[in-house]
Amino acid sequence: MCCRMSSIETTSSVHNQEKGLSLSLPRSFLQFLEENGLDPSIYAMIETIPRYIRVKPGCESQLVEIENELKCRLKKVSWLSGFYAIPSQIPIAGSKAYQQGKIYGMDAASGAAVSALNVSPGDHVLDLCCAPGAKLCMLADLLGNSGSLTGVDIARPRLAACRTMLQKYSLGDRCRLFVADGTSFSPLPVRSHMETKPCLSGKNDPEIFAEWTAKRSWRDRKKAAKAGNIADLDQIKSTPPELIFYGRYSGVVGLCKNELFCAVDEPSFSGYDRVLVDAECTHDGSLKHIQKFEDWGWETLERRVLDAKRTDSLLHLQLQLLTNGFRLLRVGGTLVYSTCSLTVAQNEDVVKQFLSRNYLAELQHVEASAIWPCRSGGIPNTLRFEPRTSQTSGLFIAKFTRLAS
């Protein structure tokens, strides 16, 4: 279990002897690491682990130009298509390649989690915790010009950033985004409504989805403003899903609103082909994320990551997200559960609990992992990326399929 809190006044430094680097870690975080059997020396590797970018498909011919803009060499990641490593200190946000949507930052381990889904054109994909959006963009790229992509997140500002990313990279045509609680989200892929002829009672019918536009009616603006005032997560959890974006070919245009939001108790044959549950976690495996708390303040780490009330509920949240994601998966479909925590409690223990309650769930071997720089997790067919050996952020991956009853 995650630890209870203690004072942050006493800190300890971890050092990289070769580089002369150090990162002062608060006593409370060191206690968290100790209680979870984790080695604090991995945080001395922060500056030695490269930064990763993904080059948008179709832009590979511009690699030399991108290298000139970033003033560094792009080192191809041999085990993951489309990914390149650059020195950790290289900024990308100011480059034309980034601003023009040719590249985006994404850790290679996160890319592996997406790759493990084996997304094919035509699939209907659900990203149940989609912010901040890099994995969502990769999923959209893999889908191409068919299928659909549904992104869900409980944090409205972060989901709005996802919408911006999709538009920036011209990947939004087949996507729809919902502000919703991932533990209870229920709308199915649009294909499940295809047998019902869309309502065609009029172009301006408020009960029919017209083509999405950033320019909204007074009624919609008022509704959005009211929803935007819901800051309490408990309120969001009790509020129906809010659709904040949908693409031209997402299947939403022309539907009656009651068709989009109709729910099925057991969507085993009308559910999603692929589901990604990259669950909220303590982020202890993301070295760059932990480093940010030097600027944000270690008190922020206690409040956001190690607060006793939060850690007590986190494992329950992860199990709920995995359970609901699996409920929305069709028979024969694939679900990937991942976290950027290195703890057993948030990974193997959650998987064990889930499997004990879901006899139709079966862990699957990730075939591509044969060439990945990862190791087996504590349960057969699970994977772990670890900074020291993978030269990526830490990440846990478990791949499931849904059996027929």
Side-chain angles (χ1 to χ4, degrees), residues 124-146:
H124 295 277
V125 183
L126 171 64
D127 187 349
L128 200 55
C129 311
C130 68
K135 287 183 286 293
L136 192 74
C137 287
M138 183 174 173
L139 287 167
D141 269 333
L142 295 174
L143 277 176
N145 295 319
S146 60

Side-chain angles (χ1 to χ4, degrees), residues 21 174 224 234 282 290:
L21 302 170
R174 296 188 172 275
D234 289 333
T282 51
I290 296 299

Side-chain angles (χ1 to χ4, degrees), residues 3 38 89-90 141 164 174 176 185 213 240 282 286 305 318 353:
C3 71
L38 302 177
Q89 73 275 14
I90 298 294
D141 269 333
T164 300
R174 296 188 172 275
R176 53 185 190 160
F185 180 76
T213 173
T282 51
S286 177
V305 179
Q318 291 162 341
Q353 289 185 66

Side-chain angles (χ1 to χ4, degrees), residues 132-171:
K135 287 183 286 293
L136 192 74
C137 287
M138 183 174 173
L139 287 167
D141 269 333
L142 295 174
L143 277 176
N145 295 319
S146 60
S148 69
L149 176 58
T150 299
V152 178
D153 206 274
I154 200 168
R156 181 185 306 277
R158 284 162 58 84
L159 194 66
C162 290
R163 178 177 61 196
T164 300
M165 282 191 72
L166 289 173
Q167 293 172 309
K168 173 182 176 179
Y169 293 100
S170 302
L171 293 171

